[in-house]
Amino acid sequence: MPRPFARALAVAATAAVIPLACPAPATADVIIGGYPVEISESPWTVAVSSRDRFGGTRAGQFCGGVVISRSTVLTAAHCLSKEVLGAPPRQVRDLKVIAGRGDLLSAEGREIAVRDTWINPRYDSFTNAGDFAVLTLAEPLAASAVIPMAGPGDAAYKPGPGAVVYGWGDTTGSGDYATALRAARVQVLPDALCEEAYPGSVDGTYVAASMLCAGEREGGRDACQGDSGGPLVAQGRLIGLVSWGSGCGRPGSPGVYTRVSEVVRTLGAGR
């Protein structure tokens, strides 16, 4: 998937939603190789929305996000870029977070205005390093919606099965976007696998200090366009944010996530 849009949706000048590039179709369906999930099972998963920019068909959803405090949501930095939004985020007057709604066609949950945005100033759109941003909500969510973040050295980062990625993005790799929340079980993979897959190209460069490699070696289960900023969870803790990759579910091209331990370091240092 090409830079700089990574796994968000792009917006045309007419505010119509368009899929990014034309990745090779995957054989699996839902998220990519996933399954439907109730929002009650992952209340910290939220949709980032702007009907003005992306239309009302799917409640304006264009990226995912994750609740890390009652008034704070993490998402991908590239989700707030001018290339995706068509304007700086402060000019998007209806930027909202949709919480407690698994089915985007329903009226469940809450739509909460974003009071402030902060984009990691160290975000590098060429390598995709540091791909995270903070949304401050105008109204707080319930404490039960908050997921803990895995800090540096947490065992949840250890390579192996058991991680789950959530989102409303492309379900086939061909522009078929979900209306209901999906999840996929993936493996946290060794950094060496993504370093080999992404040594530096138009797609980006894998930087182990700020990125996490996850998916399946043989392909088939992965995040895709529209899932950007959504959570990767292991052992009950947030370990990654959907960031970028080459295609969706391709063998030899795992998904790349923002490593949450780097987010913890940055936010702990006062941004």
Side-chain angles (χ1 to χ4, degrees):
M1 213 165 303
R3 294 189 295 104
F5 303 111
R7 292 184 163 178
L9 298 178
V11 59
T14 59
V17 180
I18 57 172
L20 304 179
C22 296
T27 56
D29 59 2
V30 299
I31 212 171
I32 293 289
Y35 54 90
V37 63
E38 294 294 327
I39 193 66
S40 59
E41 297 175 28
S42 57
W44 20 262
T45 304
V46 297
V48 184
S49 162
S50 168
R51 289 179 174 82
D52 179 59
R53 300 287 166 168
F54 296 93
T57 303
R58 298 170 61 256
Q61 187 272 341
F62 65 97
C63 273
V66 57
V67 182
I68 60 165
S69 83
R70 293 187 63 191
S71 298
T72 309
V73 166
L74 286 181
T75 190
H78 75 259
C79 287
L80 302 185
S81 68
K82 186 176 180 180
E83 289 84 358
V84 170
L85 290 176
R90 64 181 178 276
Q91 294 181 17
V92 182
R93 290 174 290 182
D94 71 334
L95 186 63
K96 294 180 179 179
V97 160
I98 303 176
R101 182 181 301 173
D103 183 351
L104 295 174
L105 303 183
S106 77
E108 295 176 325
R110 299 167 62 191
E111 297 191 11
I112 304 174
V114 173
R115 179 169 59 82
D116 193 21
T117 60
W118 179 85
I119 301 171
N120 179 17
R122 296 184 179 87
Y123 168 54
D124 184 339
S125 62
F126 291 94
T127 63
N128 298 314
D131 187 14
F132 73 93
V134 176
L135 307 176
T136 302
L137 305 182
E139 303 171 21
L141 293 165
S144 59
V146 178
I147 189 171
M149 296 187 288
D154 195 301
Y157 293 105
K158 184 178 179 180
V164 182
V165 58
Y166 299 83
W168 288 270
D170 192 347
T171 62
T172 64
S174 300
D176 300 314
Y177 294 94
T179 58
L181 181 63
R182 307 287 182 172
R185 300 188 187 280
V186 295
Q187 295 190 56
V188 176
L189 299 170
D191 289 325
L193 201 65
C194 272
E195 288 172 340
E196 181 180 355
Y198 306 112
S201 70
V202 67
D203 290 321
T205 303
Y206 187 78
V207 181
S210 66
M211 299 179 186
L212 187 66
C213 188
E216 299 296 328
R217 293 174 186 267
E218 67 276 14
R221 289 198 291 267
D222 196 5
C224 201
Q225 283 99 336
D227 291 321
S228 284
L232 177 68
V233 176
Q235 299 180 28
R237 297 183 292 283
L238 179 67
I239 63 171
L241 302 174
V242 178
S243 182
W244 64 285
S246 178
C248 303
R250 291 176 176 173
S253 298
V256 182
Y257 297 76
T258 300
R259 187 179 289 266
V260 167
S261 59
E262 184 65 14
V263 178
V264 171
R265 282 194 191 98
T266 302
L267 299 183
R271 301 184 182 176

